[in-house]
Amino acid sequence: MFGDPATNPKGWEERLLPEILFFQEGPGVRKWQFNKEGVKLLNVRNIVDGQLNLSNTERYLSHEETQNKYKHFLLEPGDLVMASSGVTWGKTAWVEECHLPICMNTSTIRFHPHDTKTINRLYMRCFLDSPYFKQQINRLI
């Protein structure tokens, strides 16, 4: 529909990713910070077949630590999360209201448009899941 992004035969305006999307990598939470209850920590293993499955890990941060140190890493409904390391690199899933509260963790990135009038969330996901985007990232790794 949009043509080949590498050659841009339709002459679409080109913009840098940070101009269009907010993205943030998760913090380096350490094992000694894990709790059995509190705010769930996102893990790359939670991204399964394009969806979040929060039943397959039991890592949490305390509510107090989350509010004091990691509040800006709390995910919001509509965020797209991506695994950013290892063999799971590039897997994506939407964050939904039913997943909250959940905090980002190591090896995860979240994305959302600065302005939904500029970019559609579904298009954003299709682009981030595309072979073209993954080739661009692989060149940087």
Side-chain angles (χ1 to χ4, degrees):
M1 177 193 293
F2 297 106
D4 178 7
T7 60
N8 193 14
K10 299 189 183 239
W12 292 101
E13 176 187 1
E14 294 182 32
R15 308 248 324 257
L16 296 175
L17 199 63
E19 294 174 10
I20 300 170
L21 301 179
F22 169 79
F23 54 97
Q24 176 186 38
E25 187 172 9
V29 179
R30 304 290 181 223
K31 286 183 181 182
W32 59 267
Q33 295 173 276
F34 297 162
N35 286 289
K36 295 285 185 193
E37 58 184 32
V39 176
K40 182 76 171 184
L41 275 170
L42 180 66
N43 185 295
V44 295
R45 290 177 296 199
N46 297 130
I47 304 172
V48 180
D49 297 327
Q51 297 185 10
L52 286 185
N53 177 350
L54 301 181
S55 66
N56 60 4
T57 60
E58 293 300 322
R59 293 182 178 163
Y60 297 84
L61 283 176
S62 72
H63 288 285
E64 181 180 336
E65 186 170 21
T66 303
Q67 288 302 312
N68 291 333
K69 192 172 181 182
Y70 296 107
K71 189 175 185 175
H72 58 292
F73 292 108
L74 289 172
L75 293 166
E76 300 174 10
D79 282 344
L80 183 70
V81 291
M82 177 183 284
S84 63
S85 70
V87 296
T88 60
W89 182 97
K91 293 191 319 178
T92 61
W94 293 115
V95 176
E96 299 175 21
E97 189 74 40
C98 64
H99 300 127
L100 304 181
I102 186 168
C103 185
M104 296 178 66
N105 196 358
T106 306
S107 301
T108 61
I109 302 172
R110 77 159 145 193
F111 296 87
H112 61 254
H114 289 300
D115 177 7
T116 54
K117 292 177 185 171
T118 304
I119 186 168
N120 174 284
R121 289 180 187 273
L122 183 57
Y123 177 80
M124 173 189 73
R125 183 175 191 172
C126 289
F127 176 74
L128 295 173
D129 284 342
S130 73
Y132 174 75
F133 176 76
K134 291 179 179 175
Q135 287 171 355
Q136 295 296 311
I137 297 299
N138 282 329
R139 287 183 193 155
L140 300 172
I141 302 177

